[in-house]
Amino acid sequence: MTTAPAAAPTDPMIRLERLTKTFPGQARPAVEALDMDIAAGEIVVLVGPSGCGKTTTMRLINRLIEPTSGRIFLEGDEVTKVNPDQLRRRIGYVIQQVGLFPHQTIADNIATVPRMLGWDEQRIRARVDELLALVGLEPATYRGRYPKHLSGGQRQRAGVARALSADPPVMLMDEPFGAIDPITRDRLQNEFLRLQETIRKTIIFVTHDIDEAIKMGDRLAILREGSKIAQYDTPERILSAPADDFVADFIGAGASLKRLNLSRVRDVELSDWPVASVDSSRAEVLAALRASDKGAVLLLDAERRPARWVSGRELQREDGPLSEMGLPPEALVQPNATLSDALNEMLKSRYGCATVIDGAGVYQGNLDFATVSAAIQEMRRDARDRSRAEADEVHAAGEAGA
């Protein structure tokens, strides 16, 4: 086997060189001479129209499909001709329909690869419980259950846990959230991005949905037919400067709204809304409301978790304890949610704002339409500034060459 030199710190985690796949009986390659470098710790999203070769490319990388020609490097080692089973143990794989073994418990599903690697049972049990907790499934509750006893979102979490079981450096995710209802899908996307902040895996993610690609990817590869790269860049640059009409048409209308998937709640300054304790007196809550320019007060419980929204009219007209007034907060987001997610929640809110909470449900602040509008304007300014700077660099280089 021919090997590349040992990986230097600047080498990519994955390198594809002239990777090609032509299926028997087809005149044109499904993947044609694909070159791509994927850096360690990044989520790279392969996105494009149906039939462009996204999933075929992914399956070539872990050799579920054998390439016709070309080379694959993983951490500097050429893996094009190594034992494919050995290769796959270095790569986690998550698919749309999860693929859990229905006759095995969740714990046994997650333990599949560690058992193949010869881990002892005590180490396997510890790893199973660690991963269940990591993906938000209580180990004592879920380790003994079977896939049929889990919801679609819970099965998808278990599938992610199984892919992480042997701590592979690379994960392949083939439309992992595509078969889940939209609300659960948004939640799982956000939770996975939060998880990625901890695990920092190199991830290749396939989707046909440009909005999901923008939200999930550090870099996007927009593919034409045959997995030919139309543009490979950050979401910001693709939205601000599409390489050609194909890319612009694929992005579609509403680039400003799509940019909301590039910023997270934690990146913006939260708005100042009045808050009070649910145990406060009515006079104290009214005083907090009158000291602001808002129409309602957010009441917090003893652990500073959002409990009720109460308006001035309700405070003045209704009797009874504060804990029974108004409405419970429904538009709740966490700091790692995108501004697009927050905007969706705001549209459900009676008061036009989203309440930000941490992982324990503790109140962090509020986000309103004015904040989101300011963030959009800032992103537009940044995009214009980058475009001008790039144009200046091209002009300067042209003059130097002349």
Side-chain angles (χ1 to χ4, degrees):
M1 180 187 75
T2 303
T3 59
T10 56
D11 284 345
M13 174 65 76
I14 298 171
R15 170 166 285 163
L16 310 179
E17 289 186 356
R18 308 291 293 171
L19 193 63
T20 298
K21 177 62 181 181
T22 303
F23 289 102
Q26 290 191 353
R28 302 185 65 179
V31 177
E32 185 174 4
L34 176 62
D35 291 317
M36 180 180 287
D37 284 355
I38 297 170
E42 285 194 343
I43 300 178
V44 169
V45 181
L46 308 182
V47 61
S50 296
C52 70
K54 305 181 295 294
T55 295
T56 301
T57 298
M58 175 175 283
R59 291 177 177 174
L60 287 170
I61 291 172
N62 69 350
R63 291 178 54 207
L64 287 174
I65 298 173
E66 291 295 339
T68 303
S69 61
R71 301 197 297 173
I72 304 164
F73 295 91
L74 176 61
E75 296 182 286
D77 298 326
E78 186 181 358
V79 294
T80 320
K81 297 181 177 64
V82 302
N83 183 302
D85 289 334
Q86 294 293 330
L87 169 64
R88 290 176 203 132
R89 292 170 191 175
R90 298 170 65 182
I91 300 176
Y93 193 37
V94 183
I95 61 175
Q96 183 179 110
Q97 299 295 340
V98 187
L100 297 174
F101 301 121
H103 60 285
Q104 292 185 354
T105 65
I106 298 304
D108 285 337
N109 267 280
I110 296 171
T112 300
V113 174
R115 286 201 174 108
M116 291 171 61
L117 296 175
W119 291 19
D120 66 69
E121 285 300 314
Q122 182 176 355
R123 183 184 177 192
I124 290 173
R125 284 194 298 271
R127 181 62 173 165
V128 166
D129 285 358
E130 176 190 8
L131 289 170
L132 285 172
L134 192 66
V135 299
L137 297 175
E138 171 58 43
T141 302
Y142 291 98
R143 72 167 78 91
R145 292 189 180 180
Y146 288 85
K148 67 181 179 181
H149 299 139
L150 274 59
S151 69
Q154 289 167 342
R155 287 195 296 272
Q156 203 66 50
R157 294 174 194 228
V160 170
R162 185 177 66 177
L164 291 168
S165 60
D167 198 20
V170 172
M171 288 182 66
L172 307 181
M173 305 186 75
D174 190 1
E175 302 217 35
F177 310 128
I180 301 170
D181 67 89
I183 293 174
T184 304
R185 184 184 192 187
D186 282 343
R187 187 179 301 123
L188 286 177
Q189 288 169 343
N190 291 336
E191 290 179 358
F192 186 80
L193 289 170
R194 176 191 56 77
L195 179 63
Q196 171 66 353
E197 292 176 0
T198 301
I199 61 177
R200 302 307 303 173
K201 298 297 180 183
T202 304
I203 297 169
I204 302 175
F205 189 109
V206 162
T207 182
H208 65 278
D209 183 341
I210 186 62
D211 292 315
E212 180 173 57
I214 291 166
K215 178 176 180 176
M216 300 298 294
D218 296 304
R219 289 167 67 85
L220 313 184
I222 297 183
L223 303 178
R224 307 178 195 270
E225 186 178 355
S227 264
K228 290 182 177 295
I229 296 175
Q231 189 167 358
Y232 184 34
D233 215 327
T234 63
E236 293 91 341
R237 289 181 60 86
I238 288 173
L239 285 174
S240 300
D244 55 25
D245 289 344
F246 174 86
V247 176
D249 289 343
F250 190 77
I251 293 171
S256 291
L257 288 176
K258 287 180 169 62
R259 286 192 185 99
L260 292 178
N261 275 317
L262 303 178
S263 291
R264 305 201 175 276
V265 170
R266 61 174 179 247
D267 300 328
V268 300
E269 185 175 351
L270 300 180
S271 54
D272 186 19
W273 281 70
V275 297
S277 168
V278 75
D279 296 323
S280 300
S281 69
R282 190 180 298 245
E284 289 171 328
V285 178
L286 275 169
L289 180 61
R290 289 167 178 159
S292 76
D293 61 352
K294 307 301 183 183
V297 176
L298 179 61
L299 301 179
L300 308 178
D301 68 13
E303 283 75 41
R304 289 190 58 78
R305 295 173 301 196
R308 312 287 292 185
W309 277 109
V310 185
S311 70
R313 178 179 297 179
E314 289 160 340
L315 286 166
Q316 292 172 333
R317 293 187 178 181
E318 295 184 15
D319 295 324
L322 291 175
S323 60
E324 297 177 3
M325 281 189 190
L327 295 170
E330 294 180 344
L332 300 173
V333 296
Q334 293 194 12
N336 65 326
T338 66
L339 291 187
S340 179
D341 295 328
L343 180 59
N344 284 333
E345 292 300 318
M346 281 182 226
L347 294 174
K348 306 175 191 174
S349 169
R350 180 179 180 183
Y351 300 108
C353 73
T355 300
V356 184
I357 56 174
D358 67 12
V362 175
Y363 173 73
Q364 304 294 301
N366 284 291
L367 194 67
D368 58 24
F369 290 110
T371 308
V372 173
S373 178
I376 290 174
Q377 296 304 318
E378 182 65 27
M379 284 185 275
R380 283 177 174 167
R381 283 193 295 271
D382 288 347
R384 285 196 298 267
D385 290 346
R386 282 196 300 270
S387 295
R388 287 179 189 140
E390 289 164 5
D392 291 343
E393 288 178 7
V394 171
H395 181 69
E399 288 190 339

